[in-house]
Structures are given as C-alpha cells and as structure tokens.
Amino acid sequence: MNGLGNEIIVADMRGRADRVSASAAVALAADPGTHFDQVMAIHDARTPGTANYIEILNADGSLAQACGNGMRCVTQMLAAESGQKHFVFETVAGILTADEHPDGLVTVDMGKPRFGWKDIPLSEEFADTRAIELQIGPIDAPVLHSPSVASMGNPHAIFWVEDDVWGYELERFGPLLENHPIFPERANISVARVTSRETIDLRTWERGAGLTLACGTAACAAAVSGARTGRTGRQVTVTLPGGDLKIDWRDDDHVMMTGPAELEFAGTMDPATGAWSRDREVA
Ligand SMILES: N[C@@H](CCC[C@H](N)C(=O)O)C(=O)O
C-alpha cells in the first residue's frame, strides 16, 4: 500500500505468534518488487478494548514507535475487509484511534506530542525545544540550523527554512543529522517552509528509511512545532512531495491527521526470511 507515496507493507500477522524479522524487512526493502519505507505488522490484540497490536519496522529492520501514513493504510485495509469504520489500535507508543470517512480518507488520532528533551530524546538538556542548538554546514554560514524538536511517539527535528524546501540536499544532510550524537535514538529529519498561517511545505529524511515521499508523523511534528513557535495556527495543511495531509492540533492536545491511503497489490510472504510472491494485481 502507500500513504501519499510513503511505501508501506501491511503484513497480516493475526492468529500467529511470530514476528516479521529484521532480516526479512531488510530483504524486502532491497527487492525492487517490494521496496518499502515501513512494514506495519498487524498482530492480535494484547490489550482489551483494542482491535490489534501494530508493530512497525523501518526499511533498515529497526523498530519504529509510530507511523502516521502506515496507520492510515492499516485502517483502510481492515475497513475494506470488515466494513468497520472506527478502530482502536495499540502500538509500542500507546493506544490510538482511526476512522475511515465516506470519501475514503482516514483520520488517525496520533495522540499528544511531547516536547521535553528527555521525551524526544536528546542526549543533553535543552530547556526550550522550540529551537535547539544544532547546525550543519559552515560554522559561520550554516545551511540548516536551530531545529524545533518534538516527539510524536518517535523523534523529529524540524529545520525551518525561508526558501524552497527542494533547494536543500536532504539526501546529503539527512543521514548526518539522523545519526547526530544529540539524538541517542536517531531522529527523523525534516526541512519545513511556512507558506501561510495554514500551510507548510515539508520534506523528510526518515530514520531507518531515508528520503520518502511523505511522513505522517513528521507532518504532525511540523504542525505542532509551527503552532508552538507562533509560525502557524493549530490547523494546517502540510504539503509533502506525495501530496497533502490535514493536521489539527486540537485543544485537548491530541493531533489529528487526515489523508488518503491506497492499495497497490497483495502477496504472500515469509515473515522470517522475506521470501514473497504476488497474489493479485489491483487495477
Ligand atoms: N513514515 C512514517 C514514519 C515512520 C517511522 C520513522 N521512520 C521512525 O523511525 O520514527 C510516518 O508516516 O509517520
């Protein structure tokens, strides 16, 4: 499936005790037929009141705590299967809800953002995480500097720029910043431009996956950071390379993300090795 071009494998692991292995993820990501950004593995519920436990793997085999685009894909798949429209899921980051609308768009309640330096986490104390001391490029003329940092369950750094987000070599700076010692668990790195009080342009280098066409949690992190720094209001449209997401940072502190999801094809895979075959095409 994909969520605005963010490439997602939804793995149906219900009724079984094994997991999608890190080596299976790496093998599937390396295969052009199944290249992906995240695997969303749907497991049986482990907490009463939830439909399923969702485990998230990045293309490098690492585990992620959250994936906004992937949650929309999971919701759309389960809605198509059951006719149900409202879901309660559990991830390692906590419990979240998702709703499919009559127009096919899906809203996910991504929970509450966290801004404390230990929550993100950062390796050193910053009292104010709206702009931390971090830069890349020449010391006296940094290319990117002073990002806002936030956790949407997973760590994000948002570098605000005044000009076109496509003018920045994110493929070069992304890996350096993702692995910067300030981020002990690495981080998702975004370049963001505010184009009005209600609109943000965004490109993201994803932790464990690289450049992607869209990152839902980065859109949420950019939206809350935009509002927190006075750049935007609390309801924004975030334009990613793959399309638009609507983000609403509600007064109860929950971040609601709305956007599409799309089925590409279905197949069968071995979650231990990543060996797979295609079942059927989808027009
Ligand atoms: N594509 C995702 C984010 C996936 C997780 C990320 N790479 C991480 O390791 O935190 C999204 O849509 O949110």
Side-chain angles (χ1 to χ4, degrees):
M1 299 186 76
N2 76 81
L4 290 179
N6 200 188
E7 298 173 338
I8 307 291
I9 293 179
V10 178
D12 185 359
M13 300 292 286
R14 290 172 290 179
R16 48 195 294 167
D18 56 338
R19 293 281 191 259
V20 177
S21 72
S23 55
V26 170
L28 287 158
D31 184 331
T34 48
H35 179 265
F36 72 92
D37 300 316
Q38 275 78 46
V39 169
M40 307 294 291
I42 306 177
H43 292 276
D44 292 331
R46 57 181 203 185
T47 301
T50 62
N52 299 98
Y53 181 77
I54 313 294
E55 189 160 271
I56 307 166
L57 291 93
N58 285 315
D60 69 356
S62 62
L63 291 172
Q65 303 95 327
C67 176
N69 292 323
M71 290 311 305
R72 295 200 313 281
C73 292
V74 166
T75 303
Q76 193 193 73
M77 192 210 100
L78 293 176
E81 175 190 274
S82 64
Q84 204 181 316
K85 297 294 175 193
H86 176 75
F87 296 88
V88 183
F89 297 116
E90 184 178 16
T91 68
V92 70
I95 290 175
L96 54 86
T97 61
D99 292 90
E100 189 186 60
H101 305 292
D103 61 4
L105 294 181
V106 175
T107 297
V108 182
D109 179 346
M110 300 294 291
K112 300 179 181 183
R114 287 178 299 157
F115 303 112
W117 70 276
K118 286 185 185 164
D119 296 323
I120 289 161
L122 302 177
S123 55
E124 61 181 90
E125 181 170 354
F126 280 94
D128 186 351
T129 52
R130 287 175 297 185
I132 66 163
E133 220 172 282
L134 174 64
Q135 65 175 52
I136 197 147
I139 194 134
D140 50 350
V143 179
L144 295 169
H145 65 91
S146 314
S148 300
V149 288
S151 169
M152 285 306 311
N154 56 352
H156 288 272
I158 309 293
F159 287 86
W160 299 104
V161 298
E162 301 289 329
D163 44 7
D164 190 353
V165 292
W166 290 96
Y168 293 84
E169 289 180 280
L170 203 45
E171 63 287 2
R172 189 152 74 88
F173 300 128
L176 300 173
L177 292 163
E178 174 192 356
N179 294 291
H180 191 284
I182 193 74
F183 302 118
E185 295 179 11
R186 303 189 287 159
N188 298 286
I189 307 297
S190 294
V191 177
R193 180 191 191 189
V194 171
T195 47
S196 77
R197 293 282 302 167
E198 297 85 31
T199 50
I200 297 173
D201 287 349
L202 188 76
R203 286 178 68 215
T204 302
W205 173 272
E206 282 194 21
R207 175 179 70 166
L211 275 184
T212 59
L213 289 180
C215 178
T217 46
C220 296
V224 298
S225 299
R228 208 175 160 233
T229 57
R231 289 176 167 92
T232 66
R234 293 172 73 103
Q235 293 182 343
V236 292
T237 299
V238 181
T239 298
L240 308 128
D244 290 355
L245 287 174
K246 301 260 184 218
I247 310 294
D248 180 6
W249 187 13
R250 291 190 322 206
D251 291 340
D252 66 0
D253 203 19
H254 282 243
V255 181
M256 312 302 286
M257 176 204 60
T258 302
E262 186 182 29
L263 174 62
E264 295 184 14
F265 68 92
T268 304
M269 75 171 192
D270 177 346
T273 64
W276 69 281
S277 60
R278 192 178 280 234
D279 285 353
R280 62 186 163 88
E281 295 286 343
V282 174

